[in-house]
Amino acid sequence: MELEPTDIRAAAIAAIQAADSVDAIEEIRIKYLGRKGSLTLLLRSLGNIPAEQRAAAGKRANEFKNEIESALEQKKYELTSTAARDLLRAQWIDVTLDCATATQREDLGRLHPISQIQYEIEDIFASMGFEILDGPEVETDYYNFEALNMPRHHPARDMQDTFWTEDGNLLRTHTSAIQIRGMEKVIPPFRIVGPGRVFRYESTDASHENTFYQVEGMMVDRDINVAHLIFVMKQLLKEIFQREAVVRLRPGYFPFVEPGFELDIQCLICNGAGCSVCRQSGWVELLPCGLVHPNVLRMGGIDPKEWSGFAFGLGLNRLVMMKYGINDIRHFLSGDIRFLRQF
Ligand code: DAH
């Protein structure tokens, strides 16, 4: 016996109401409205009934079809939104929650003052066309001493005793080793800076540490002279201290420069009048520098007849100490959170 349209409709609606998943809904759709679905077959068989009844029967069957379709849609929507709601309830994350509440914010990390000044200095040199290079903290004798015009038994080595490894390498005593590594990498003309951590065999006190930080700099071009060195240094100081710096050069000895200098900056506290910071001299020693020794250029494969250059080694600890009035270098690596929180 053929099913009545009303029976089909009632069965479909009941099934839809009982459905508990989107898959079940799809099965019901196929069962009634699919290509071989019972309502589809019924609609297709309308041609067999007498013409007078056909229009009314067709209209009714189509109404049932629409009704079933919208019941399916409605149920599907309900089921998917409950599924989404269940998921939300089970895996709830409030993305608007401010996790940095007052107490937690205290615990957020920050950059060490040495890193801060290092990045600042890198930016300043990068803006002047310097490339930033790196080098290893465990160095060979060659890069740390030999190639810097300090052959074995050179007395200047005594100033920079350090920690040696059993296989004859050492913890670098200065970033000057980066000069040699740099010359092997880039061809002149060039400008490079090399920041890094350095080590000395040192008994520690308020101004001596066995581990500290430097930024090495080197510029090689044709006819480089002391005026270029002074210009770049003044530019650097102007950026760091945000004001014009007055500098002076005193002779200083380093085997890898000739002539070599100590660059002093006029005391920023008393403007040269004399105070406790500059020990009444009006000047503060800032960095050693000089014109690159021809032997060093040769070691780097550069012809000193064609090229010349300047170099400098800037101590970062001292700079930060001056900037913030820190009186003991040992604070930097103390790991004391009370010290670090101030920056
Ligand atoms: N490397 C030296 C030191 O740590 C500092 C230095 C002096 C670096 C003169 C230079 C320089 O580049 O030209 O004591």
Side-chain angles (χ1 to χ4, degrees), residues 181-213:
R181 292 186 174 272
M183 285 188 286
E184 289 176 356
K185 256 189 222 112
V186 294
I187 50 165
F190 63 78
R191 287 164 235 180
I192 53 173
V193 282
R197 180 159 58 166
V198 301
F199 310 85
R200 302 269 169 98
Y201 180 72
E202 198 85 69
S203 31
T204 56
D205 61 30
S207 50
H208 294 88
E209 222 341 340
N210 52 40
T211 303
F212 52 100
Y213 294 79

Side-chain angles (χ1 to χ4, degrees), residues 224-299:
I224 290 292
N225 59 49
V226 178
H228 297 113
L229 168 65
I230 293 176
F231 174 81
V232 172
M233 291 301 107
K234 285 186 82 163
Q235 197 64 28
L236 168 73
L237 297 172
K238 193 169 137 188
E239 298 272 348
I240 293 180
F241 296 112
Q242 293 296 312
R243 54 197 260 203
E244 212 62 52
V246 181
V247 301
R248 73 174 184 190
L249 294 181
R250 285 178 292 120
Y253 176 72
F254 301 92
F256 32 95
V257 281
E258 179 56 38
F261 307 104
E262 290 288 354
L263 185 141
D264 297 341
I265 178 172
Q266 193 172 74
C267 182
L268 296 167
I269 309 291
C270 63
N271 288 323
C275 67
S276 62
V277 171
C278 60
R279 297 206 189 93
Q280 310 306 329
S281 73
W283 298 92
V284 178
E285 190 176 313
L286 192 78
L287 63 89
C289 52
L291 296 184
V292 183
H293 196 290
N295 285 351
V296 174
L297 289 173
R298 261 184 229 112
M299 287 302 227

Side-chain angles (χ1 to χ4, degrees), residues 88-161:
L88 268 179
R89 244 184 238 128
Q91 306 183 3
W92 185 83
I93 301 170
D94 183 356
V95 292
T96 67
L97 188 68
D98 179 11
C99 60
T101 57
T103 43
Q104 282 170 322
R105 210 173 271 134
E106 279 288 299
D107 293 326
L108 287 180
R110 66 196 73 198
L111 286 175
H112 191 282
I114 299 263
S115 306
Q116 289 180 25
I117 200 129
Q118 180 189 319
Y119 297 159
E120 191 184 330
I121 288 168
E122 285 178 8
D123 283 348
I124 296 168
F125 278 112
S127 77
M128 290 193 274
F130 282 72
E131 199 178 327
I132 297 155
L133 297 185
D134 204 0
E137 291 177 349
V138 181
E139 262 299 2
T140 63
D141 185 283
Y142 174 80
Y143 286 111
N144 196 83
F145 292 127
E146 192 93 30
L148 284 162
N149 207 25
M150 271 190 274
R152 231 162 265 275
H153 310 302
H154 193 292
R157 285 193 178 208
D158 293 349
M159 310 276 292
Q160 302 194 358
D161 199 5

Side-chain angles (χ1 to χ4, degrees), residues 160 173-176 179 200 212 214 216-217 254 256-257 261 288-291 310-314:
Q160 302 194 358
T173 59
H174 50 186
T175 45
S176 300
Q179 287 187 28
R200 302 269 169 98
F212 52 100
Q214 295 182 329
E216 194 75 15
F254 301 92
F256 32 95
V257 281
F261 307 104
C289 52
L291 296 184
F310 68 73
F312 60 88
L314 179 61

